[in-house]
Every structure is written in structure tokens, then in C-alpha cells.
Amino acid sequence: MYAIVEIAGQQFKVAKDQKVYVHRLPEAEGSKVTFDKVMLIDDNGSVTIGAPAIEGAGVTAKILGHLKGDKVIVFKKKRRKGYKKKNGHRQYLSEIQIESIAASGVKAAPKKEEAKEANTETKELGSMTVAELKALAKERGITGYTSLKKAELIEALSK
């Protein structure tokens, strides 16, 4: 059984107990992470393809360690101009081990609908004039609204 999963912006073909080097993950060493952007799962010949991802599928992995990759030399030169630049780079990586591949039953990350509602309310407040914002602040019982600027009124009303 294998899966094609998106990890840190790149797609990887992974199987159970496989070790993979990926771009640095923000979680600590030894912690478990779940990746829910699974594009394809092959279970002994039965292939499931997502559009773009399979709903409810997930890959669980354990972070083994954080490290730096090999040095890459970046050399730039323009001939006959005397221009040479030599630079080096080492990529930050995380080594993970795939623990399980689940075709269904993995909970997706909870969506922050409240944050979206507050964001739309802030956008609506931003389109109002200062006089309208002051009237709204008076209705909601906010004190000291008369000396506030537009940005301060929006901040006070969005709380």
C-alpha cells in the first residue's frame, strides 16, 4: 500500500515504515503529525484518486529529527565582465517516518468559521464612514468613541 501525499508544499510517494526527508516542519522532534492532503492511495491494485485530495484520507508520521541538508554552491559569472559571485546554501530538513496510511476516517483540520465571520465583519466595518462607525459605537454602548480614529473604532467594534 502506498500513497501520494502533499507535505510542506511538495508531493511525496510514501509507504508504511518509510523514512522521508521533507522541508522543515514546525512541530517538535518525536511528535506525530497527520497530513490530510492525500492525492492518491493504492491498496494492492485498487487505486483511489482524489480531486484534488481524497476526503477523510490521511497519512500519520512521526518526526525523527531536524537537520540541515548538504551544502549547495551557487556560482554566478558573466564572462568578460569580471563579475563572479559565489554563495552557499544548506536547506533545513525534517526526517519523518510514515506510521500509517488511512483511506478514510481521518478528521480534517477544524475550519475556523468564527474567524471568517469576524473577518467579514471587519471588512464591512472598513467600508463604513467614521460617522456611521461612531453611531454604531453609540448603539453598542462603547464609551469614549468620540475621540477615536477610524481604525480604533473598527478595532473597538470588532471585539
Side-chain angles (χ1 to χ4, degrees), residues 16-32:
K16 191 176 184 313
D17 297 328
Q18 180 182 4
K19 291 182 181 177
V20 181
Y21 292 100
V22 299
H23 287 299
R24 179 71 58 102
L25 298 173
E27 288 80 10
E29 291 183 18
S31 63
K32 294 187 180 186

Side-chain angles (χ1 to χ4, degrees), residues 11-79:
Q11 294 180 5
F12 294 92
K13 179 181 176 182
V14 296
K16 191 176 184 313
D17 297 328
Q18 180 182 4
K19 291 182 181 177
V20 181
Y21 292 100
V22 299
H23 287 299
R24 179 71 58 102
L25 298 173
E27 288 80 10
E29 291 183 18
S31 63
K32 294 187 180 186
V33 291
T34 303
F35 306 107
D36 57 354
K37 286 191 174 183
V38 180
M39 313 303 179
L40 180 139
I41 294 179
D42 183 2
D43 190 11
N44 298 326
S46 65
V47 178
T48 307
I49 300 174
I54 300 170
E55 290 291 325
V59 174
T60 305
K62 181 180 181 182
I63 298 178
L64 300 176
H66 298 299
L67 55 134
K68 289 171 84 174
D70 295 335
K71 182 172 258 192
V72 177
I73 303 296
V74 180
F75 185 72
K76 299 178 182 180
K77 179 182 178 182
K78 295 190 183 201
R79 64 184 196 158

Side-chain angles (χ1 to χ4, degrees), residues 79-120:
R79 64 184 196 158
R80 298 187 303 270
K81 306 294 183 212
Y83 173 80
K84 293 181 191 175
K85 286 286 182 191
K86 183 178 178 185
N87 202 348
H89 175 74
R90 291 185 71 185
Q91 185 67 38
Y92 290 101
L93 302 172
S94 294
E95 183 180 13
I96 62 172
Q97 183 170 13
I98 306 301
E99 293 187 337
S100 67
I101 299 171
S104 62
V106 176
K107 288 185 178 179
K111 296 186 179 177
K112 299 176 183 174
E113 294 177 9
E114 296 174 5
K116 288 181 182 177
E117 290 175 8
N119 193 14
T120 56

